[in-house]
Amino acid sequence: SEHLFPQIAKKTPVSSAAPIKFIITKTVNSKGFLFLQPFPCHVLSGRVLTQNSPVMPQRTITLSEPHSMSIQSIPGKKIAISPLKSPSKNIKPVQSVAVGGVSGSQFKTIIPLATQPNVQQIQVPGSRFHYVRLVTATTASSTGQPSGPSTSSIQTAKPMVVSTGAVRMSVPIVPAQTIKQVAPKPLTSAAQVVTTTQTQQRLIMPATPLPQIQPNFTNLPPGTVLAPAPGAGNVGYAVVPAQYVTQLQQSPFVTLASSSSFPAPTGIQTQARLPLNGLTTAETTSRPRKPCNCTKSQCLKLYCDCFANGEFCNNCNCNNCFNNLEHETERQKAIKTCLDRNPEAFKPKIGKGKEGESDRRHSKGCNCKRSGCLKNYCECYEAKIMCSSICKCIGCKNFEESPERKTLMHLADAAEVRVQQQTAAKTKLSSQISDLLMRTAPVISSGGGRLPYTFVTKEVLEATCECLLEQAKKAEHTHQPQAEAERMILEEFGHCLMRIISSAGKAKADCASINC
DNA sequence: GAGTTTGAAACT
DNA sequence: CAGTTTCAAACTC
């Protein structure tokens, strides 16, 4: 990413350090998510790149000294990388969103890294970013050159425990068995994560240095490097968002291992969203993005919400979709086209306010003409913000004092209250039914207020029905009017119920006396 | 679910 | 940059 890191664009002498495979950079996409793919550089987040992309040649960035890097082309390399945050104050938002990820269904896959020490963290002073170096055992030497083709490059990866100031980059290692408990789609071998024919690949996960990291994998942000504790085992793990794996699985370039213990949820796809920026965990986890329905754009234009958000299409209803790893070349080209047309294309449209939501506003403003900016056609309204002076809308009613807007808000609030009440009522009813079933269900070991038997047995029902039928016949024989007949039957039903209840109570008392 | 409306994106 | 077309989502019936 020469334009972002001009200082590293120049090739510099390689030191004794092992080669850095990738730089992690960052920006945000149009919906406030951390977005990396669109940038015409060799740094793509959590995705596999192909060297032969016409858009940008993939390169390896070699760091020797903190300030000196070089970029070298490595033909035939495919590398997946993810964002890496510095341990600065920027950490917090990253963690808050990265952990939650896309939705509650999102999980992280922990890829065991093998034994050779080939994941290294590099800190570049003055840079807001951290760099991670993934090298094979053969390249972990001091050659400074990338290794040759390999089919198990990742297998030798091992995170290093690096302390970056107050932030420790790793957490205690866990045994391999633990993977099954935390990763729905564990990979039996990292080597299987990235294998191709004849070409070497590496998977670089975002190694977010977070002081808040806890040894709970479900809370780890994507790309967390789990390094072995001193004296512990020799295998490390890296946590990557599951959607990456989903995409990787879909890729013709990459073969992923599927676990026999955890069948891959091929039918369940997650939005391949990258770590977010500007949205809270709750927002991102409770509101997975809707699948798109594109038919003509191949999901490679900004019409497509997935594409516009820097996401792969996943679980969408689109036709002829190119927004996936299978069409990486076309996708990169489309990204470049969009950026050529508008360099801000993938940046958030809604600027984040300095204090509270009131400061949020649409970066370009809307151009609504007929909706009064009070329908979701309006991007401002959709983002739940007021129109601003930069909007060019006609007949706007989306401003603070607008009576129409207030009415709409009240209606929305009322509707929400109704939904909540209905939900609460349903919950209560469900609870009552459940409780009732518990009370009437046969319980071998009686306790509390439960009855020891089920009294409404088949026999009891039959007897009750016979009684009711008998009452009906009686009414018929005596030529009672229909209303009177119904009354007699109901009365008999009442008697039946009383007898059943009485028997139940008596049986319970008997049962209690003999301590059954 | 089909058809219509809408406004952003894409195109000219 | 303005006008037009395309597109997919939002909306209505």
Side-chain angles (χ1 to χ4, degrees):
Chain A
S1 130
E2 293 90 325
H3 64 291
L4 291 176
F5 296 91
Q7 74 277 21
I8 63 172
K10 296 175 184 174
K11 194 167 182 177
T12 54
V14 176
S15 80
S16 60
I20 299 294
K21 296 307 176 188
F22 275 94
I23 284 179
I24 288 77
T25 182
K26 76 150 192 122
T27 184
V28 287
N29 71 350
S30 61
K31 295 288 173 68
F33 304 136
L34 194 61
F35 185 89
L36 297 169
Q37 293 102 314
F39 289 83
C41 64
H42 26 274
V43 180
L44 302 188
S45 169
R47 303 177 43 252
V48 172
L49 300 179
T50 56
Q51 167 63 22
N52 53 4
S53 166
V55 177
M56 68 194 70
Q58 186 175 329
R59 299 166 187 173
T60 289
I61 298 165
T62 301
L63 289 186
S64 52
E65 296 301 324
H67 288 291
S68 63
M69 313 175 197
S70 68
I71 300 175
Q72 301 171 332
S73 293
I74 308 176
K77 299 286 192 285
K78 296 173 187 170
I79 304 175
I81 68 163
S82 292
L84 192 63
K85 274 284 198 172
S86 77
S88 67
K89 31 193 165 182
N90 294 325
I91 287 177
K92 209 168 185 179
V94 169
Q95 196 213 16
S96 67
V97 296
V99 171
V102 175
S103 68
S105 65
Q106 186 190 10
F107 50 82
K108 296 175 179 59
T109 300
I110 296 180
I111 299 176
L113 303 174
T115 57
Q116 296 305 313
N118 59 351
V119 174
Q120 299 178 17
Q121 309 239 1
I122 295 96
Q123 204 168 12
V124 180
S127 169
R128 296 176 58 204
F129 308 99
H130 268 191
Y131 305 92
V132 67
R133 173 168 49 205
L134 264 190
V135 295
T136 64
T138 54
T139 57
S141 63
S142 59
T143 62
Q145 297 298 321
S147 64
S150 166
T151 56
S152 59
S153 57
I154 285 295
Q155 195 168 22
T156 58
K158 176 193 171 189
M160 288 180 60
V161 178
V162 177
S163 291
T164 55
V167 180
R168 188 173 173 79
M169 293 297 298
S170 46
V171 298
I173 196 66
V174 294
Q177 293 87 331
T178 310
I179 296 174
K180 290 184 178 180
Q181 298 168 6
V182 297
K185 288 194 291 184
L187 302 167
T188 55
S189 166
Q192 294 168 288
V193 172
V194 278
T195 56
T196 62
T197 57
Q198 308 302 321
T199 57
Q200 183 185 20
Q201 297 179 350
R202 289 178 174 78
L203 180 64
I204 303 180
M205 279 68 64
T208 309
L210 299 172
Q212 305 93 326
I213 285 177
Q214 299 171 0
N216 172 1
F217 289 131
T218 59
N219 286 334
L220 291 177
T224 301
V225 173
L226 306 182
N234 215 9
V235 179
Y237 302 96
V239 182
V240 296
Q243 64 266 25
Y244 295 164
V245 178
T246 302
Q247 276 297 317
L248 290 171
Q249 283 178 316
Q250 296 171 351
S251 169
F253 308 122
V254 179
T255 302
L256 283 179
S258 62
S259 166
S260 56
S261 304
F262 283 86
T266 52
I268 302 172
Q269 299 172 318
T270 56
Q271 289 287 337
R273 179 180 295 168
L274 294 166
L276 317 174
N277 183 7
L279 291 180
T280 65
T281 302
E283 282 175 311
T284 57
T285 56
S286 63
R287 202 154 39 91
R289 255 179 32 71
K290 292 198 298 185
C292 74
N293 300 291
C294 308
T295 57
K296 299 184 176 180
S297 67
Q298 298 179 316
C299 298
L300 288 185
K301 294 193 173 179
L302 294 175
Y303 296 130
C304 175
D305 269 3
C306 304
F307 181 75
N309 280 298
E311 298 168 359
F312 291 108
C313 282
N314 249 328
N315 206 25
C316 292
N317 307 312
C318 41
N319 292 331
N320 196 23
C321 180
F322 277 43
N323 186 27
N324 47 45
L325 278 174
E326 287 90 335
H327 299 88
E328 183 62 26
T329 303
E330 293 90 341
R331 189 172 183 271
Q332 290 301 321
K333 193 175 178 181
I335 289 167
K336 185 174 184 302
T337 302
C338 285
L339 288 171
D340 286 346
R341 189 180 294 124
N342 174 20
E344 314 282 300
F346 296 98
K347 293 190 176 175
K349 286 181 175 177
I350 309 300
K352 198 161 186 295
K354 295 169 185 172
E355 295 178 10
E357 289 190 352
S358 59
D359 289 330
R360 295 171 63 229
R361 74 171 191 174
H362 198 286
S363 58
K364 290 188 346 187
C366 68
N367 300 285
C368 307
K369 295 176 177 64
R370 305 172 69 91
S371 67
C373 301
L374 287 184
K375 292 187 175 179
N376 282 330
Y377 298 128
C378 174
E379 292 196 347
C380 298
Y381 180 82
E382 188 181 28
K384 296 181 171 61
I385 57 177
M386 309 291 164
C387 286
S388 68
S389 58
I390 59 173
C391 291
K392 293 176 276 294
C393 41
I394 298 170
C396 181
K397 295 169 182 170
N398 184 29
F399 54 93
E400 186 64 44
E401 303 304 319
S402 165
E404 290 90 346
R405 191 191 70 85
K406 286 179 178 174
T407 304
L408 210 57
M409 293 297 106
H410 289 147
L411 287 173
D413 288 345
E416 191 174 341
V417 168
R418 269 202 304 279
V419 168
Q420 287 174 351
Q421 287 174 339
Q422 287 173 352
T423 304
K426 283 180 186 173
T427 305
K428 187 178 178 184
L429 185 63
S430 174
S431 170
Q432 287 174 336
I433 291 173
S434 172
D435 190 52
L436 190 63
L437 289 172
M438 288 291 287
R439 288 173 184 275
T440 55
V443 178
I444 302 303
S445 59
S446 74
R450 295 182 191 176
L451 298 176
Y453 306 107
T454 295
F455 292 94
V456 188
T457 61
K458 184 184 176 187
E459 290 75 18
V460 171
L461 280 176
E462 286 176 353
T464 303
C465 289
E466 280 179 18
C467 290
L468 300 181
L469 272 175
E470 196 61 33
Q471 204 65 2
K473 285 178 184 172
K474 188 177 172 183
E476 197 174 59
H477 286 316
T478 54
H479 304 290
Q480 299 292 336
Q482 187 178 345
E484 178 60 17
E486 288 175 356
R487 192 198 61 77
M488 291 170 63
I489 295 170
L490 281 174
E491 193 172 355
E492 179 59 26
F493 185 60
H495 290 153
C496 291
L497 278 178
M498 290 297 289
R499 271 172 274 170
I500 292 170
I501 293 169
S502 172
S503 298
K506 191 179 174 186
K508 186 185 179 187
D510 292 346
C511 184
S513 66
I514 61 174
N515 198 25
C516 68

